[in-house]
Amino acid sequence: MFADALMPGPYQCYICDEEDLIGEDGLCDACRSKLKYYPSPVCSQPLDGIAIGLQYGEEIATAVLRFKKNDMREYGAFLAQYLSVPSEWKADILVPVPIHPLKLWLRHMQNHTETLAAYLSHATGIPYSTELLTKTRFTGEQKKLRDPAQRRRNIRGSFSADPLVKGLRIVLIDDVFTTGATVYECARVLKQQGAKAVYLSAVTSPPH
Ligand SMILES: [Zn+2]
């Protein structure tokens, strides 16, 4: 469904840079055959549902790294094709998992989850907003904390939701869903402000 936004040319595989036989998904047959779709994710409150495209592995990790570290925005279209919004969610709006303004500056002003949300919005017709949920406290890198309880403590109270979320069915957008501490905290804050339902759509996740 992202074919029109993909492959503006040169016709290279998004993962291995091979130039032959690239499909509409931007991949060569060899790389595509290594991707594994994610089995039904387990979800608990305050999240009301989770949709994950792919199991995290070497191939998708390469694409995510290029997207985030090398500022290759065209990878946003490639990765966003693995995001989905089930129709039964009856989503009102997409909300990218926010990053702190300082981190945004460190990343040369690219919020990668916003790029993903923009592509998904274009494909689904569901609007997206970066105003409804903001990061108000700089928390450093979650992945450097090994202990799940530590991660939860580190992130708690670091987001702020706008009262306009009241009654909305919201889909959080993220690239890699790992321990979930960040996303569950986002959902908690949104629900506190009266969001009717909060879901997560992520590109990839290690099996839980
Ligand atoms: Zn390839």
Side-chain angles (χ1 to χ4, degrees), residues 43-66:
C43 171
S44 57
Q45 287 293 324
L47 274 180
D48 298 286
I50 298 180
I52 292 167
L54 300 170
Q55 286 190 51
Y56 195 71
E58 201 181 316
E59 288 74 27
I60 203 69
T62 302
V64 170
L65 199 70
R66 286 176 169 189

Side-chain angles (χ1 to χ4, degrees), residues 12-20 22 26-32 34 59:
Q12 289 184 323
C13 173
Y14 272 81
I15 289 171
C16 72
D17 299 327
E18 179 63 51
E19 289 184 10
D20 293 326
I22 309 305
L27 293 176
C28 71
D29 290 349
C31 287
R32 187 182 308 108
K34 289 179 197 151
E59 288 74 27

